[in-house]
Amino acid sequence: MKNSTPKVIILLLYLGSFFIFSCSKQLLDIKNQTYKSYNRDSEKGYTVSFELINTEIIPKSIVINGIVQNISLANKTGKNYQVNVIAQTNIIHNYQVKLEKKENGIYFEKDSKVFFQAVKFKLIKD
């Protein structure tokens, strides 16, 4: 009886590369993804910035350090987005911070379907 280990390894490598190739087409091209903390007046939070290359996809909200913040059209300038993620405030009466147990990333909408993509935002320190 012949040893079929090399065939199994080749098959697993083939299936693994196919999986990686097919998944990589689903990932969006996000560039210059950064965030910076702020503490001004009676408000604390993060200023999150990123550039979205594909303009057909609509970013809906950001998750940064467990806090979810919606993205509006006012946050967009060309292909760039800048979102103020509020962590704590006394300025807005009855403001409720939305929390979520997800890694940092962005929710997107395409063809009326919402999906999440994890994003490694770079922390900018002053």
Side-chain angles (χ1 to χ4, degrees):
M1 190 171 190
K2 289 186 175 182
N3 187 353
S4 63
T5 303
K7 291 180 183 177
V8 170
I9 291 173
I10 290 172
L11 180 64
L12 288 174
L13 288 172
Y14 174 75
L15 290 174
S17 62
F18 176 74
F19 177 74
I20 290 171
F21 178 73
S22 64
C23 287
S24 67
K25 288 193 169 221
Q26 296 174 0
L27 298 177
L28 297 175
D29 192 11
I30 301 170
K31 294 186 177 179
N32 304 319
Q33 60 271 26
T34 62
Y35 74 103
K36 178 178 168 182
S37 64
Y38 70 85
N39 184 357
R40 60 180 173 259
D41 298 325
S42 297
E43 188 171 289
K44 295 179 184 180
Y46 305 97
T47 302
V48 181
S49 301
F50 63 95
E51 181 181 350
L52 184 60
I53 303 305
N54 186 346
T55 56
E56 295 173 11
I57 308 290
I58 302 168
K60 300 304 281 182
S61 58
I62 285 186
V63 178
I64 192 81
N65 297 335
I67 302 169
V68 181
Q69 184 72 46
N70 291 338
I71 299 173
S72 71
L73 287 177
N75 300 121
K76 181 179 179 184
T77 305
K79 294 181 179 182
N80 296 310
Y81 289 83
Q82 185 169 337
V83 182
N84 186 32
V85 179
I86 300 170
Q88 179 183 359
T89 185
N90 292 330
I91 298 171
I92 305 170
H93 185 67
N94 290 331
Y95 182 81
Q96 295 291 319
V97 175
K98 296 181 202 172
L99 301 175
E100 188 169 297
K101 292 185 178 182
K102 270 212 184 273
E103 59 190 313
N104 291 345
I106 304 173
Y107 281 99
F108 293 94
E109 182 177 345
K110 183 177 183 184
D111 301 327
S112 300
K113 294 182 182 177
V114 176
F115 64 95
F116 179 81
Q117 179 172 324
V119 176
K120 293 189 184 222
F121 292 98
K122 179 183 176 187
L123 175 62
I124 297 175
K125 297 179 182 178
D126 285 334

